[in-house]
Amino acid sequence: MPVFKAPFNGYSVKFSPFYESRLAVATAQNFGILGNGRLHVLSLPPAPSAPLTELISFDTADGIYDLAWSESHDSLLVAAVADGSVKLYDTALAPAQNPLRSLQEHTREVHSVDYNPTRRDSFITASWDDTIKLWTLDRPASIRTFKEHVYCVYSAAWNPRHTDVFASASGDCTVRIWDVREPGSTMIIPGHDFEILCCDWNKYDDCIIATASVDKSIKVWDVRSSRAPISVLNGHGYAVRKVKFSPHHRNLMVSCSYDMSVCMWDFMVEDALVGRYDHHTEFAVGVDLSVLVDGLMASTGWDELVYVWQNGTDPRAP
Amino acid sequence: MARHFFADKNEDFINAQVNALLSSLDIDGDVQAKGPFAGRFRELEDYWNESQGAPRHGPPQTDGWVSEFSQHRIEHGDPNAWAHSFEQQHGPNSWASEFEQEQRLVSAADQMRGANISNLAAMEQTRMLAHTLAQNNDPKFQNSKFLQFVSKMSSGELIIDDNQVKPAALSSPGDWATEYQQKYTAGPSWVDEYAGNQLSHGPDQWANEFSAEREQRPVDDQWVNEFSKLHVNDWADEFGRQVGEGAFGESSADNWADAYDEYLNEQVVAKQKSDASRGVYVFSDMNPYVGHPNPLKEGQELFRKGLLSESVLALEAEVLKNPDNAEGWRLLGIAHAENDDDQQAIAAMMRAHEADPRNLEVLLALGVSHTNELEQAAALKYLYGWLRHHPKYGTLANPELSDSLYYADVARLFNEAAEMSPEDADVHVVLGVLYNLSREYDKAIASFQRALKLKPQDYSLWNKLGATQANSVQSAEAILAYQQALDLKPNYVRAWANMGISYANQGMYEDSIRYYVRALAMNPKADNAWQYLRISLSCASRNDLFEACDSRNLDVLQKEFPL
């Protein structure tokens, strides 16, 4: 299976929505504690036994915690940088001409960025300064700032169906649902007793959302009856870092954790853990499922490796 | 944007990462797949509430780890609850004491990101993280590079400075080291000094330095201690003058006098303590090098690379295994000395002497430390022993003389030795030490300068020269010498502290504070430096920071007095 070794510790990996064989990886030096960062754009080889090749990479002065591919332009990327900036990159231009823009508004690290898949013109960033900001590609400043969380916001995700709705997960142990047309959050789900590190919407049911928490569990909620989760998924040995619903299967989702594993879950069955991959040798912090290829998944971790494999196969197989 | 040493954002990184990991550890994994967890965690909460003190409610604040942790224990607890309860249990100096006991691993802490090696709390936390990770038997965790990284940060081997992670001296061996070398974008001086072999402080030179009967550490003690005495006397005079001139109000005079009395008392007590406990070496517990096949070699390598704390552990493992290994004890003594831990240095050297009474370097080291302690008789005994066991100069020594040594005799003998071999730097060094004993500072300075002509790259020699100059009230020159020492060895804790002393001596208290703080940042265990710092704070009328100083709160001090 294709593998890529980055010079820095991996933080996030995302497949391109335009090209089946393209993906990008956000990395940070020294485990993201301090130092530089680098954004790699990689290409899958025609044969699975070949390694991933790097198309282009961009260096940043600080670690990159997350990235998002633009849904409107096939060569644009947004990077969430640890110095609080949000940077726009164009892979069609040389590194010297990049970044196209550096948006400096957040006062703390930007931990996640998500591009609106339906409207395609805007994206949201979640930061440790407790806020979420809404941006468009053409404007030099944010359009709106959502400030309600009382602690770091770790993740923000657009609803795949409703163009103006997104959810945010925070260290204040709540998930908030927002509508950009509304002044404040429309719902607060006190989902866990511990910090919530990630949230993601179900791609087939617009009311279902999953949350990944420090308490090692993933909870699946229906926002219509948010007092109790539909399902609680246990199995990770340490905090769960990311969770992502499958774009191809209604009930499937993938997660990665500090226990160094990547797990596949079916939240509708009793024995929810349907797959487990232990290929990383340090914290597994990034995972993604390809929208274009069913079953294709990628993960990255602090062991500086990026793996791309088909669900059901061994990521480390040659 | 460079991440500053003290940036708050650093805290949150650790908070995010470490908290996530650590708190997840305390969560019972056997909870059923459906239904809320509240019941389970309540048990844990109750337990912690009992052991930690009253919980407080409210959303966690940005003290990251602490909030996370306290949240975990105490529902939406106060961010500082953990810290407070810890203090309750262990006392305000708990951080320091914990740190002393368990150097590498352990402990919770707020701010790893800031690299705050200075911040004992951060060290504690990284140690706890490292400890926790280390406890996981899964080989993946055992081999985790992150664990190594954290371990090194917690022991101070890695420092974060100017948005770079720097090894305290050099990175450790192995892949991990090369990796860091690559990423390591430190300024030229560091790299040149350690990576290149152009300077004589390359590995070979260093080894030579140690094999060549040179003793650095204990001599430095002397300089510092001697100097500190003068230092205080000078201040007393100056203060007396100023009071006479009416520069201070009545109250401040009393405060200063009180501070001075306190200091003297502390000195006396410290001396008594050190007398009592001298010679008793205290081993670190939880030593990962125990069981290592060749800890001596490992220790030597680590020492060569400047990873003092790590090398101490490895060497301790060696002497635990082979209590008669003189070389192990000797190197251990030197490592402690460079790290400004006099007590341990002397204890280790004594053991080295027991193991090998003829080892010249050990004899020199002991001679020097006793000179530092102004124990003339003992110093002479060891220095004379050096002469006697020396293959070249042994003939000069009259065996009958050793029973009743007079300073004059010994000095004369060493002068003869110097005439015999004027190119032998060691003889000049010993002479310099002897002259300090007799307070003939000009002669001492001359001797050291001669030695420096022969060994200009010897950082400890520069320190000795500086200290001698400082002792003879040539503080401005002393600073130049210390600077040379620091240029050669940037993490030379003792030289940093000495710089502070020289500044203080010239009345530049603010500056002196900065240097003390820097020295303490590198080694929070340097007790004497804490005392000097306190005095400088007093002289600079910064009594507001006494508490920070007494509680050894380097974080606050560094923020106030960055270099």
Side-chain angles (χ1 to χ4, degrees), chain B residues 407-461:
Chain B
Y407 170 82
D409 297 332
V410 180
R412 186 174 39 82
L413 289 173
F414 271 97
N415 271 305
E416 284 178 28
E419 277 165 58
M420 241 174 97
S421 343
E423 303 304 302
D424 190 343
D426 294 334
V427 178
H428 294 295
V429 174
V430 180
L431 260 179
V433 174
L434 277 174
Y435 285 130
N436 262 280
L437 203 55
S438 62
R439 297 182 174 235
E440 294 168 271
Y441 295 121
D442 290 334
K443 289 193 189 163
I445 289 172
S447 294
F448 285 137
Q449 281 171 338
R450 212 168 305 135
L452 272 167
K453 278 207 177 52
L454 297 163
K455 288 193 171 184
Q457 311 295 345
D458 184 344
Y459 58 89
S460 73
L461 251 190

Side-chain angles (χ1 to χ4, degrees), chain B residues 33-308:
Chain B
K34 315 244 179 207
F37 291 172
R40 277 295 174 151
F41 295 130
R42 204 160 293 135
E43 283 169 32
L44 288 172
E45 282 172 14
D46 289 345
Y47 168 73
W48 277 101
N49 287 347
E50 284 164 27
S51 63
Q52 305 284 347
R56 278 183 260 171
H57 295 269
Q61 290 150 39
T62 26
D63 278 2
W65 195 93
V66 176
S67 71
E68 172 68 29
F69 198 75
S70 61
Q71 186 192 111
H72 172 63
R73 313 284 179 204
I74 302 158
E75 203 165 15
H76 298 303
D78 173 83
N80 296 319
W82 192 91
H84 291 159
S85 55
F86 188 76
E87 276 191 8
Q88 279 167 32
Q89 285 182 351
H90 301 275
N93 289 327
S94 57
W95 300 113
S97 53
E98 278 256 328
F99 184 74
E100 281 169 15
Q101 283 159 25
E102 302 173 351
Q103 265 200 317
R104 312 156 276 95
L105 301 179
V106 203
S107 227
D110 326 301
Q111 300 118 24
M112 173 153 116
R113 204 159 197 226
N116 305 312
I117 298 192
S118 55
N119 185 347
L120 289 170
M123 300 283 263
E124 293 285 304
Q125 181 178 42
T126 54
R127 280 194 299 167
M128 172 112 151
L129 170 61
H131 181 59
T132 307
L133 286 173
Q135 284 187 329
N136 186 325
N137 289 325
D138 186 341
K140 278 167 92 175
F141 277 86
Q142 295 292 323
N143 294 331
S144 163
K145 289 191 175 164
F146 180 55
L147 166 56
Q148 291 171 25
F149 180 77
V150 163
S151 171
K152 289 205 176 346
M153 283 195 52
S154 71
S155 69
E157 301 307 342
L158 279 182
I159 56 172
I160 294 182
D161 195 12
D162 287 338
N163 202 31
Q164 295 156 8
V165 173
K166 291 180 181 164
L170 254 194
S171 46
S172 58
D175 296 342
W176 195 83
T178 35
E179 201 175 300
Y180 270 100
Q181 288 281 22
Q182 287 160 20
K183 297 173 192 174
Y184 179 47
T185 51
S189 62
W190 288 72
V191 176
D192 291 349
E193 186 173 341
Y194 289 101
N197 278 333
Q198 320 103 319
L199 296 185
S200 61
H201 248 46
D204 298 318
Q205 180 61 18
W206 202 94
N208 291 346
E209 180 182 322
F210 274 89
S211 58
E213 301 118 15
R214 168 165 311 296
E215 188 35 58
Q216 292 116 14
R217 280 302 335 51
V219 185
D220 303 334
D221 288 351
Q222 167 187 8
W223 307 150
V224 169
N225 290 346
E226 269 255 338
F227 189 69
S228 73
K229 292 197 172 137
L230 286 180
H231 182 55
V232 173
N233 291 337
D234 287 348
W235 287 356
D237 293 343
E238 186 188 295
F239 183 71
R241 235 183 314 120
Q242 283 177 338
V243 168
E245 289 163 20
F248 287 119
E250 208 39 45
S251 51
S252 60
D254 288 343
N255 288 344
W256 197 97
D258 291 344
Y260 179 58
D261 283 341
E262 256 173 55
Y263 170 77
L264 277 184
N265 289 339
E266 281 168 27
Q267 281 289 68
V268 168
V269 169
K271 183 104 196 350
Q272 287 166 348
K273 253 199 278 191
S274 77
D275 284 345
S277 55
R278 178 165 343 141
V280 181
Y281 188 87
V282 180
F283 285 95
S284 337
D285 41 352
M286 294 189 17
N287 188 336
Y289 292 95
V290 172
H292 193 284
N294 191 350
L296 176 64
K297 187 151 165 292
E298 185 74 14
Q300 284 166 331
E301 186 66 4
L302 289 165
F303 186 72
R304 188 179 70 74
K305 296 190 172 187
L307 294 167
L308 291 172

Side-chain angles (χ1 to χ4, degrees), chain A residues 32 34 62 108 195 258 282, chain B residues 3 12 17 68 145 160:
Chain A
L34 82 181
D62 215 331
R108 301 281 314 246
E195 294 193 45
Y258 282 176
E282 298 280 353
Chain B
R3 189 140 305 123
D12 277 338
Q17 309 297 336
E68 172 68 29
K145 289 191 175 164
I160 294 182

